Amino acid sequence: MKATFVFALAIIASASAGPQRSSELALQQRNLLEDLVKGFIQLIIESVQASGLDPLYVESAEGTYSFFDLEDVFTATGSLSEFNFEGGSNIIVNDVNFHLLSRAISINLSVPKLQLSVGSFVGTISVFGRDELEVDGSGRVVIENVNVVARLRVGLLPNINIRDVTGTITVGDVESDLNIILFGEEVSDRVNDFLINKLSEALKTYNTQIFEFFERAIIFLIDSLV
Ligand SMILES: *[C@@H]1O[C@H](CO)[C@@H](O)[C@H](O)[C@H]1NC(C)=O
């Protein structure tokens, strides 16, 4: 898989490094690249599905967990039961575009439905390096129509790499029926209201952090899937 990916990046690099080409050749090259990127995303999706991560069901677990080993992004420590997360690998690739001059790829992806439910969770959570929150919770969240439009620049030095991941993320309807106790205080209504009514706004507020996370997650995936 890595070979395919490095090959794709190498084409991008050479496509933009060379002298002016005929527009027909440039178009062919662009189509080839767009197909390669689509194929690569498909490979990631298939490997997630094959590895049993979607749907992800955990009967009960205890310990510390962070996304992609990125401890400053999200860390949860504690115990949980009947955790279920599904829909994350049902990714629809709407559009892939290659911008020759800026050596950037823009990708438009949708996830129709994300569902998360947990029978019980007791422990601490830390998001984006903020203070640890003592949480006791259960319930279910459904997020529909998650759309991610990302722009990735391909760098050449010191190695061919991905950098400057920017973009926007939007969500459609959100259902939230969580019971959350934070530092011993009942905050379910506030949390549900936040997820149902203010998630879109929060995604804008934390846009920079979210895309920094995506950048690191993409690099992590590329390094670890190979
Ligand atoms: C992304 O794709 C969706 C579905 O095709 C489309 O509705 C949306 O406008 C696209 N977003 C951008 C920024 O191109």
Side-chain angles (χ1 to χ4, degrees), residues 2 5 27 32 47 58 65-66 84 118 125 144 152 155-156 174 191 213 216 223:
K2 185 161 199 165
F5 185 72
L27 185 67
L32 173 65
S47 72
V58 180
Y65 176 80
S66 56
N84 190 65
V118 61
I125 292 177
E144 289 184 3
L152 296 72
L156 297 179
V174 178
V191 172
F213 163 67
R216 292 165 62 190
D223 285 347

Side-chain angles (χ1 to χ4, degrees), residues 94 108 147 149:
N94 297 316
N108 179 338
N147 179 242
V149 179

Side-chain angles (χ1 to χ4, degrees), residues 20 22 74 88 101 111 197:
Q20 201 70 309
S22 76
F74 175 88
L101 284 181
V111 178
N197 300 311

Side-chain angles (χ1 to χ4, degrees), residues 15-159:
S16 41
Q20 201 70 309
R21 320 210 167 206
S22 76
S23 57
E24 198 180 321
L25 185 61
L27 185 67
Q28 276 177 10
Q29 239 169 7
R30 212 167 65 203
N31 290 340
L32 173 65
L33 275 168
E34 289 169 2
D35 286 346
L36 275 171
V37 173
K38 283 180 194 162
F40 188 70
I41 295 167
Q42 207 55 44
L43 278 174
I44 293 176
I45 295 167
E46 280 163 20
S47 72
V48 169
Q49 286 167 343
S51 62
L53 291 173
D54 185 29
L56 176 65
Y57 179 74
V58 180
E59 172 95 47
S60 78
E62 225 182 301
T64 297
Y65 176 80
S66 56
F67 280 132
F68 303 112
D69 293 331
L70 304 176
E71 278 156 25
D72 54 333
V73 176
F74 175 88
T75 313
T77 301
S79 63
L80 58 78
S81 70
E82 291 168 55
F83 175 88
N84 190 65
F85 179 64
E86 61 185 273
S89 71
N90 184 15
I91 298 173
I92 295 161
V93 182
N94 297 316
D95 202 15
V96 172
N97 267 298
F98 176 61
H99 310 280
L100 194 73
L101 284 181
S102 52
R103 217 181 268 150
I105 305 165
S106 51
I107 300 174
N108 179 338
L109 305 172
S110 296
V111 178
K113 195 173 190 175
L114 285 175
Q115 298 190 67
L116 183 147
S117 64
V118 61
S120 74
F121 172 79
V122 182
T124 58
I125 292 177
S126 164
V127 181
F128 292 132
R130 295 268 188 104
D131 295 343
E132 291 193 339
L133 306 171
E134 273 179 47
V135 182
D136 179 339
S138 65
R140 178 167 178 267
V141 179
V142 180
I143 303 176
E144 289 184 3
N145 294 322
V146 179
N147 179 242
V148 179
V149 179
R151 184 180 162 95
L152 296 72
R153 289 223 309 138
V154 178
L156 297 179
L157 294 169
N159 302 305

